[in-house]
Amino acid sequence: MRTITNNIFSKPANEPNAELVNEWNTLRSLLLSEEQATIDSIRDDLTALRERINNPEQRIQDISDVLSEATVLSQSSNGDLSSALRPVLEAQFSISARENPELMAEALFPILGPAIRKMIASLFKFDASGSSKIYSIEQLFVIDKETGIPLVHVVHEDAFAQDADMVSGMLSAIQSYVQEAFSTASFDGLNTLELGELSVWIEWGPNAVLASVIRGIAPESFRRSLQERLEIIHQQYSQELRDYDGDSEPFDPLKIELTKFIHNNHTKSIVKLSKLTKKQLVCSCAAIVALIALVTGFIYSEVDENRWQTYISQLKDTPGIIVTGESRGFGQYHIEGLLDPMAVDPIVLLKHSSLQSAEVSYQFEPYHALHSAFIVKRARSMLAPPETTLLTLQGSTLVIEGLVTSEWLKETRRFAPLIAGIESVQYISTLSTRKFSQ
Amino acid sequence: MIQKKVCMLGAFAVGKSSLVRRFVDNIYSDVYTTTIGVRIDKKIVNIGDETLSLVLWDVHGEDSYQNVLSAYIRGMAGYLLVVDPTRPHSVDNATNLKNLIDTEIGPKPFVVVMNKCDLKEQWLITQDDLPDWANDAELIIEASSKNDTDVNLVFQTLAESLLQNRQAQ
Ligand SMILES: Nc1nc2c(ncn2[C@@H]2O[C@H](COP(=O)(O)OP(=O)(O)OP(=O)(O)O)[C@@H](O)[C@H]2O)c(=O)[nH]1
Ligand SMILES: [Mg+2]
């Protein structure tokens, strides 16, 4: 066997000897066959791996296979992944909430209710004794929010409401109330209507409203069971509610459930009114509800707008009041401006206006009005002249008439020009023929 | 049962409530009691072998409550647009209402009622004087609650088109 020179691994300097090369190859395959096989298989693996990496679909598949486990693992160990994901999720969440709030509300409604109640329950302890109060549910309505059409209506068989007229009167009032309340941009979430010994409790959901007509005083805990009931309805009938097209048949099963619910909440001991008074009561109740509903709309009506504008222009015409801004929304009023301490109090003006009962918030900065009456009034209070002295203003000159001490006059000549609106002082020693006022 | 919300719209005193009273209770009165707010009635109509429950929202006709009006028309499937041809101004009112509806909730099937046809000799306008939007109506019907002329036809026509709309979907 030939000696292998130490340069065989490098490129031979001269033309390679063919025989030598052959021999070398044979030798190499003899010596390194195992390693070669390993290298070949590694190369294959590497190619496969590269292909896999370069194939996006495959990569998605691979990652998704382990993602959920990885997330769980990260969460339970150091939470790096979740903290990395949080800003992304939060941003996405707020985008969805902004762009499709209705969808979000719908999705969150069944979850939020219980969560909020839990939180409130932990803050307050509900009055447990409330549950012993006497009340009964006489009617329940599930109302489609969009059309105001009742999807389900159940009446307790003992209730006076079996009179069809009364039912529809009551219902019509609730329906119009629901529609008006909800289309007011600044709906305040009002959900109780008190009507003598009847009250209507209204719970609002994203697609439906649950209204219950209650006789007597129901405990606050009852509101919670109403809320829960409505959440369950939204859960069970989410698709049906969304697809509602006038056909309330899909909601029929609800009738049985709600009838049970009414029965569980009906107390026999309630004294019932005589038939006549009941009828009268309900008619007037319906009228009152309709009226309340109407008033909701009226708040925005032009009648009010006119009164408000009248009051504003009255203020603007009042010396010593400068209105720089005003706003009005859902029964609340706000005025900004400048107010001379000597001016008529805007609240007094309000009491005399047709808005008298309105809640107005004022934000007035003090200032000194340059109305001559004010200047004179201010001069009088600052200079304190003898009572018989007459002060008037001519242009920017303060005219003093009557008997005064020379000392006072000296002081006055010095200080009067410091009062806003007065530049000089003129003194007339004797009162002229005209009578002094004040 | 299918329930559909239908609104009675038109200027004051054109006879919206009278149409409802005639249709629902078959009564009529010459005494004018203006509707305060809204009154909701219900009547079931049969169309072929189908039944449809019309939930009628009889709205007051006073102009200045337009913002309340947009609350009332929410979710309605169709409407009756009532004019009183003895008062041509009621047509301008109908025009405004039609525009309000189209912008607020989009076009809906409607029937134009030229009401009080018992007073035809006092009419100051005819069907031909109605503006272009009247061509979009399902039908223009001359009716009278007083003499019970074609009152049923008015509601029946609208009910039919509501049902067709539903089936078309
Ligand atoms: N001659 C005649 N009079 C009618 C007819 N329909 C209604 N009226 C009278 O017209 C007046 C107004 O009728 P309503 O039905 O109250 O009118 P409305 O459109 O509901 O009025 P508002 O509720 O105020 O918007 C009443 O005096 C009715 O008697 C009719 O077909 N013929
Ligand atoms: Mg009316």
PDB file of all heavy atoms in Angstrom, chain A residues 257-280:
ATOM      1  N   GLU A 257     -91.788  28.267  30.419  1.00  0.00           N
ATOM      2  CA  GLU A 257     -90.779  28.670  31.411  1.00  0.00           C
ATOM      3  C   GLU A 257     -91.217  29.916  32.168  1.00  0.00           C
ATOM      4  O   GLU A 257     -91.117  29.988  33.390  1.00  0.00           O
ATOM      5  CB  GLU A 257     -89.456  28.977  30.712  1.00  0.00           C
ATOM      6  CG  GLU A 257     -88.638  27.762  30.381  1.00  0.00           C
ATOM      7  CD  GLU A 257     -87.414  28.159  29.570  1.00  0.00           C
ATOM      8  OE1 GLU A 257     -86.689  29.075  30.009  1.00  0.00           O
ATOM      9  OE2 GLU A 257     -87.213  27.567  28.491  1.00  0.00           O
ATOM     10  N   LEU A 258     -91.694  30.899  31.401  1.00  0.00           N
ATOM     11  CA  LEU A 258     -92.053  32.163  32.048  1.00  0.00           C
ATOM     12  C   LEU A 258     -93.304  32.014  32.913  1.00  0.00           C
ATOM     13  O   LEU A 258     -93.436  32.697  33.929  1.00  0.00           O
ATOM     14  CB  LEU A 258     -92.241  33.258  30.998  1.00  0.00           C
ATOM     15  CG  LEU A 258     -90.954  33.671  30.273  1.00  0.00           C
ATOM     16  CD1 LEU A 258     -91.231  34.808  29.300  1.00  0.00           C
ATOM     17  CD2 LEU A 258     -89.868  34.108  31.253  1.00  0.00           C
ATOM     18  N   THR A 259     -94.206  31.154  32.502  1.00  0.00           N
ATOM     19  CA  THR A 259     -95.385  30.923  33.337  1.00  0.00           C
ATOM     20  C   THR A 259     -94.940  30.349  34.681  1.00  0.00           C
ATOM     21  O   THR A 259     -95.416  30.767  35.743  1.00  0.00           O
ATOM     22  CB  THR A 259     -96.353  29.943  32.633  1.00  0.00           C
ATOM     23  OG1 THR A 259     -96.568  30.412  31.309  1.00  0.00           O
ATOM     24  CG2 THR A 259     -97.668  29.864  33.366  1.00  0.00           C
ATOM     25  N   LYS A 260     -94.035  29.412  34.622  1.00  0.00           N
ATOM     26  CA  LYS A 260     -93.480  28.846  35.866  1.00  0.00           C
ATOM     27  C   LYS A 260     -92.861  29.961  36.700  1.00  0.00           C
ATOM     28  O   LYS A 260     -93.067  30.045  37.907  1.00  0.00           O
ATOM     29  CB  LYS A 260     -92.386  27.822  35.522  1.00  0.00           C
ATOM     30  CG  LYS A 260     -92.880  26.391  35.550  1.00  0.00           C
ATOM     31  CD  LYS A 260     -91.670  25.474  35.536  1.00  0.00           C
ATOM     32  CE  LYS A 260     -91.887  24.325  34.568  1.00  0.00           C
ATOM     33  NZ  LYS A 260     -90.645  23.820  33.990  1.00  0.00           N
ATOM     34  N   PHE A 261     -92.115  30.772  36.040  1.00  0.00           N
ATOM     35  CA  PHE A 261     -91.414  31.872  36.721  1.00  0.00           C
ATOM     36  C   PHE A 261     -92.421  32.785  37.428  1.00  0.00           C
ATOM     37  O   PHE A 261     -92.230  33.178  38.567  1.00  0.00           O
ATOM     38  CB  PHE A 261     -90.620  32.652  35.666  1.00  0.00           C
ATOM     39  CG  PHE A 261     -89.774  33.759  36.231  1.00  0.00           C
ATOM     40  CD1 PHE A 261     -88.593  33.491  36.880  1.00  0.00           C
ATOM     41  CD2 PHE A 261     -90.163  35.095  36.073  1.00  0.00           C
ATOM     42  CE1 PHE A 261     -87.814  34.513  37.381  1.00  0.00           C
ATOM     43  CE2 PHE A 261     -89.386  36.119  36.576  1.00  0.00           C
ATOM     44  CZ  PHE A 261     -88.206  35.821  37.230  1.00  0.00           C
ATOM     45  N   ILE A 262     -93.500  33.099  36.750  1.00  0.00           N
ATOM     46  CA  ILE A 262     -94.542  33.933  37.342  1.00  0.00           C
ATOM     47  C   ILE A 262     -95.131  33.240  38.566  1.00  0.00           C
ATOM     48  O   ILE A 262     -95.317  33.843  39.613  1.00  0.00           O
ATOM     49  CB  ILE A 262     -95.664  34.221  36.312  1.00  0.00           C
ATOM     50  CG1 ILE A 262     -95.262  35.374  35.407  1.00  0.00           C
ATOM     51  CG2 ILE A 262     -96.964  34.543  37.007  1.00  0.00           C
ATOM     52  CD1 ILE A 262     -96.422  36.038  34.717  1.00  0.00           C
ATOM     53  N   HIS A 263     -95.408  31.961  38.430  1.00  0.00           N
ATOM     54  CA  HIS A 263     -96.023  31.229  39.532  1.00  0.00           C
ATOM     55  C   HIS A 263     -95.129  31.204  40.754  1.00  0.00           C
ATOM     56  O   HIS A 263     -95.600  31.361  41.880  1.00  0.00           O
ATOM     57  CB  HIS A 263     -96.352  29.799  39.088  1.00  0.00           C
ATOM     58  CG  HIS A 263     -97.713  29.713  38.515  1.00  0.00           C
ATOM     59  ND1 HIS A 263     -98.802  29.324  39.225  1.00  0.00           N
ATOM     60  CD2 HIS A 263     -98.167  30.011  37.269  1.00  0.00           C
ATOM     61  CE1 HIS A 263     -99.871  29.368  38.457  1.00  0.00           C
ATOM     62  NE2 HIS A 263     -99.511  29.791  37.252  1.00  0.00           N
ATOM     63  N   ASN A 264     -93.843  31.026  40.509  1.00  0.00           N
ATOM     64  CA  ASN A 264     -92.912  30.994  41.644  1.00  0.00           C
ATOM     65  C   ASN A 264     -92.859  32.331  42.354  1.00  0.00           C
ATOM     66  O   ASN A 264     -92.424  32.419  43.495  1.00  0.00           O
ATOM     67  CB  ASN A 264     -91.507  30.628  41.168  1.00  0.00           C
ATOM     68  CG  ASN A 264     -91.469  29.208  40.657  1.00  0.00           C
ATOM     69  OD1 ASN A 264     -92.361  28.417  40.981  1.00  0.00           O
ATOM     70  ND2 ASN A 264     -90.472  28.889  39.858  1.00  0.00           N
ATOM     71  N   ASN A 265     -93.258  33.373  41.669  1.00  0.00           N
ATOM     72  CA  ASN A 265     -93.155  34.703  42.259  1.00  0.00           C
ATOM     73  C   ASN A 265     -94.502  35.309  42.608  1.00  0.00           C
ATOM     74  O   ASN A 265     -94.609  36.488  42.858  1.00  0.00           O
ATOM     75  CB  ASN A 265     -92.415  35.644  41.312  1.00  0.00           C
ATOM     76  CG  ASN A 265     -90.927  35.385  41.325  1.00  0.00           C
ATOM     77  OD1 ASN A 265     -90.239  35.764  42.270  1.00  0.00           O
ATOM     78  ND2 ASN A 265     -90.441  34.695  40.327  1.00  0.00           N
ATOM     79  N   HIS A 266     -95.539  34.488  42.583  1.00  0.00           N
ATOM     80  CA  HIS A 266     -96.857  35.041  42.851  1.00  0.00           C
ATOM     81  C   HIS A 266     -97.254  34.749  44.288  1.00  0.00           C
ATOM     82  O   HIS A 266     -97.259  33.621  44.724  1.00  0.00           O
ATOM     83  CB  HIS A 266     -97.887  34.435  41.897  1.00  0.00           C
ATOM     84  CG  HIS A 266     -99.157  35.209  41.845  1.00  0.00           C
ATOM     85  ND1 HIS A 266     -99.316  36.309  41.038  1.00  0.00           N
ATOM     86  CD2 HIS A 266    -100.315  35.083  42.511  1.00  0.00           C
ATOM     87  CE1 HIS A 266    -100.517  36.807  41.197  1.00  0.00           C
ATOM     88  NE2 HIS A 266    -101.142  36.078  42.104  1.00  0.00           N
ATOM     89  N   THR A 267     -97.583  35.790  45.005  1.00  0.00           N
ATOM     90  CA  THR A 267     -97.978  35.615  46.395  1.00  0.00           C
ATOM     91  C   THR A 267     -99.489  35.715  46.473  1.00  0.00           C
ATOM     92  O   THR A 267    -100.083  36.665  45.997  1.00  0.00           O
ATOM     93  CB  THR A 267     -97.344  36.713  47.269  1.00  0.00           C
ATOM     94  OG1 THR A 267     -96.053  36.962  46.753  1.00  0.00           O
ATOM     95  CG2 THR A 267     -97.254  36.261  48.702  1.00  0.00           C
ATOM     96  N   LYS A 268    -100.095  34.711  47.089  1.00  0.00           N
ATOM     97  CA  LYS A 268    -101.556  34.677  47.131  1.00  0.00           C
ATOM     98  C   LYS A 268    -102.140  35.756  48.049  1.00  0.00           C
ATOM     99  O   LYS A 268    -103.251  36.223  47.863  1.00  0.00           O
ATOM    100  CB  LYS A 268    -102.027  33.312  47.626  1.00  0.00           C
ATOM    101  CG  LYS A 268    -101.835  32.224  46.600  1.00  0.00           C
ATOM    102  CD  LYS A 268    -103.118  31.974  45.839  1.00  0.00           C
ATOM    103  CE  LYS A 268    -102.983  30.806  44.905  1.00  0.00           C
ATOM    104  NZ  LYS A 268    -102.627  31.099  43.570  1.00  0.00           N
ATOM    105  N   SER A 269    -101.360  36.152  49.041  1.00  0.00           N
ATOM    106  CA  SER A 269    -101.926  36.976  50.103  1.00  0.00           C
ATOM    107  C   SER A 269    -102.262  38.402  49.675  1.00  0.00           C
ATOM    108  O   SER A 269    -102.806  39.167  50.450  1.00  0.00           O
ATOM    109  CB  SER A 269    -100.943  37.031  51.259  1.00  0.00           C
ATOM    110  OG  SER A 269     -99.711  37.475  50.798  1.00  0.00           O
ATOM    111  N   ILE A 270    -101.934  38.749  48.436  1.00  0.00           N
ATOM    112  CA  ILE A 270    -102.194  40.128  48.032  1.00  0.00           C
ATOM    113  C   ILE A 270    -103.682  40.395  47.872  1.00  0.00           C
ATOM    114  O   ILE A 270    -104.402  39.648  47.221  1.00  0.00           O
ATOM    115  CB  ILE A 270    -101.439  40.450  46.742  1.00  0.00           C
ATOM    116  CG1 ILE A 270    -100.001  40.698  47.152  1.00  0.00           C
ATOM    117  CG2 ILE A 270    -102.024  41.649  46.039  1.00  0.00           C
ATOM    118  CD1 ILE A 270     -99.124  41.067  46.042  1.00  0.00           C
ATOM    119  N   VAL A 271    -104.143  41.452  48.505  1.00  0.00           N
ATOM    120  CA  VAL A 271    -105.553  41.805  48.429  1.00  0.00           C
ATOM    121  C   VAL A 271    -105.830  42.408  47.058  1.00  0.00           C
ATOM    122  O   VAL A 271    -105.101  43.284  46.595  1.00  0.00           O
ATOM    123  CB  VAL A 271    -105.890  42.837  49.516  1.00  0.00           C
ATOM    124  CG1 VAL A 271    -107.385  43.078  49.556  1.00  0.00           C
ATOM    125  CG2 VAL A 271    -105.382  42.358  50.864  1.00  0.00           C
ATOM    126  N   LYS A 272    -106.857  41.911  46.423  1.00  0.00           N
ATOM    127  CA  LYS A 272    -107.142  42.433  45.085  1.00  0.00           C
ATOM    128  C   LYS A 272    -108.185  43.539  45.143  1.00  0.00           C
ATOM    129  O   LYS A 272    -109.063  43.558  45.988  1.00  0.00           O
ATOM    130  CB  LYS A 272    -107.608  41.302  44.179  1.00  0.00           C
ATOM    131  CG  LYS A 272    -106.468  40.358  43.852  1.00  0.00           C
ATOM    132  CD  LYS A 272    -106.768  39.541  42.631  1.00  0.00           C
ATOM    133  CE  LYS A 272    -107.649  38.369  42.990  1.00  0.00           C
ATOM    134  NZ  LYS A 272    -108.192  37.742  41.790  1.00  0.00           N
ATOM    135  N   LEU A 273    -108.066  44.426  44.220  1.00  0.00           N
ATOM    136  CA  LEU A 273    -109.005  45.543  44.174  1.00  0.00           C
ATOM    137  C   LEU A 273    -110.307  45.112  43.511  1.00  0.00           C
ATOM    138  O   LEU A 273    -110.365  44.110  42.817  1.00  0.00           O
ATOM    139  CB  LEU A 273    -108.395  46.688  43.353  1.00  0.00           C
ATOM    140  CG  LEU A 273    -107.168  47.340  43.951  1.00  0.00           C
ATOM    141  CD1 LEU A 273    -106.558  48.260  42.920  1.00  0.00           C
ATOM    142  CD2 LEU A 273    -107.538  48.127  45.187  1.00  0.00           C
ATOM    143  N   SER A 274    -111.350  45.860  43.770  1.00  0.00           N
ATOM    144  CA  SER A 274    -112.628  45.540  43.142  1.00  0.00           C
ATOM    145  C   SER A 274    -112.510  45.746  41.636  1.00  0.00           C
ATOM    146  O   SER A 274    -111.660  46.491  41.164  1.00  0.00           O
ATOM    147  CB  SER A 274    -113.706  46.451  43.693  1.00  0.00           C
ATOM    148  OG  SER A 274    -113.631  47.692  43.045  1.00  0.00           O
ATOM    149  N   LYS A 275    -113.376  45.087  40.884  1.00  0.00           N
ATOM    150  CA  LYS A 275    -113.220  45.069  39.433  1.00  0.00           C
ATOM    151  C   LYS A 275    -113.211  46.456  38.805  1.00  0.00           C
ATOM    152  O   LYS A 275    -112.372  46.772  37.981  1.00  0.00           O
ATOM    153  CB  LYS A 275    -114.338  44.233  38.801  1.00  0.00           C
ATOM    154  CG  LYS A 275    -113.842  42.863  38.366  1.00  0.00           C
ATOM    155  CD  LYS A 275    -114.181  42.584  36.926  1.00  0.00           C
ATOM    156  CE  LYS A 275    -113.066  41.944  36.152  1.00  0.00           C
ATOM    157  NZ  LYS A 275    -112.766  40.600  36.333  1.00  0.00           N
ATOM    158  N   LEU A 276    -114.127  47.279  39.255  1.00  0.00           N
ATOM    159  CA  LEU A 276    -114.269  48.589  38.638  1.00  0.00           C
ATOM    160  C   LEU A 276    -113.019  49.436  38.816  1.00  0.00           C
ATOM    161  O   LEU A 276    -112.458  49.954  37.869  1.00  0.00           O
ATOM    162  CB  LEU A 276    -115.496  49.308  39.220  1.00  0.00           C
ATOM    163  CG  LEU A 276    -115.814  50.628  38.538  1.00  0.00           C
ATOM    164  CD1 LEU A 276    -116.359  50.363  37.124  1.00  0.00           C
ATOM    165  CD2 LEU A 276    -116.823  51.418  39.360  1.00  0.00           C
ATOM    166  N   THR A 277    -112.591  49.528  40.091  1.00  0.00           N
ATOM    167  CA  THR A 277    -111.436  50.383  40.346  1.00  0.00           C
ATOM    168  C   THR A 277    -110.207  49.853  39.623  1.00  0.00           C
ATOM    169  O   THR A 277    -109.371  50.619  39.193  1.00  0.00           O
ATOM    170  CB  THR A 277    -111.135  50.477  41.844  1.00  0.00           C
ATOM    171  OG1 THR A 277    -111.291  49.197  42.408  1.00  0.00           O
ATOM    172  CG2 THR A 277    -112.036  51.492  42.514  1.00  0.00           C
ATOM    173  N   LYS A 278    -110.156  48.551  39.500  1.00  0.00           N
ATOM    174  CA  LYS A 278    -109.002  47.985  38.813  1.00  0.00           C
ATOM    175  C   LYS A 278    -108.958  48.467  37.381  1.00  0.00           C
ATOM    176  O   LYS A 278    -107.935  48.879  36.877  1.00  0.00           O
ATOM    177  CB  LYS A 278    -109.084  46.456  38.823  1.00  0.00           C
ATOM    178  CG  LYS A 278    -108.463  45.858  40.053  1.00  0.00           C
ATOM    179  CD  LYS A 278    -108.483  44.341  39.998  1.00  0.00           C
ATOM    180  CE  LYS A 278    -109.865  43.796  40.064  1.00  0.00           C
ATOM    181  NZ  LYS A 278    -109.925  42.338  40.025  1.00  0.00           N
ATOM    182  N   LYS A 279    -110.117  48.410  36.776  1.00  0.00           N
ATOM    183  CA  LYS A 279    -110.169  48.812  35.378  1.00  0.00           C
ATOM    184  C   LYS A 279    -109.769  50.285  35.237  1.00  0.00           C
ATOM    185  O   LYS A 279    -108.945  50.639  34.403  1.00  0.00           O
ATOM    186  CB  LYS A 279    -111.574  48.591  34.827  1.00  0.00           C
ATOM    187  CG  LYS A 279    -111.685  48.987  33.356  1.00  0.00           C
ATOM    188  CD  LYS A 279    -112.808  48.277  32.664  1.00  0.00           C
ATOM    189  CE  LYS A 279    -112.774  48.574  31.174  1.00  0.00           C
ATOM    190  NZ  LYS A 279    -113.515  47.608  30.407  1.00  0.00           N
ATOM    191  N   GLN A 280    -110.348  51.073  36.112  1.00  0.00           N
ATOM    192  CA  GLN A 280    -110.025  52.502  36.061  1.00  0.00           C
ATOM    193  C   GLN A 280    -108.529  52.708  36.277  1.00  0.00           C
ATOM    194  O   GLN A 280    -107.876  53.466  35.582  1.00  0.00           O
ATOM    195  CB  GLN A 280    -110.793  53.258  37.141  1.00  0.00           C
ATOM    196  CG  GLN A 280    -112.260  53.420  36.797  1.00  0.00           C
ATOM    197  CD  GLN A 280    -113.049  53.950  37.962  1.00  0.00           C
ATOM    198  OE1 GLN A 280    -112.655  53.766  39.114  1.00  0.00           O
ATOM    199  NE2 GLN A 280    -114.153  54.594  37.667  1.00  0.00           N
TER     200      GLN A 280
END
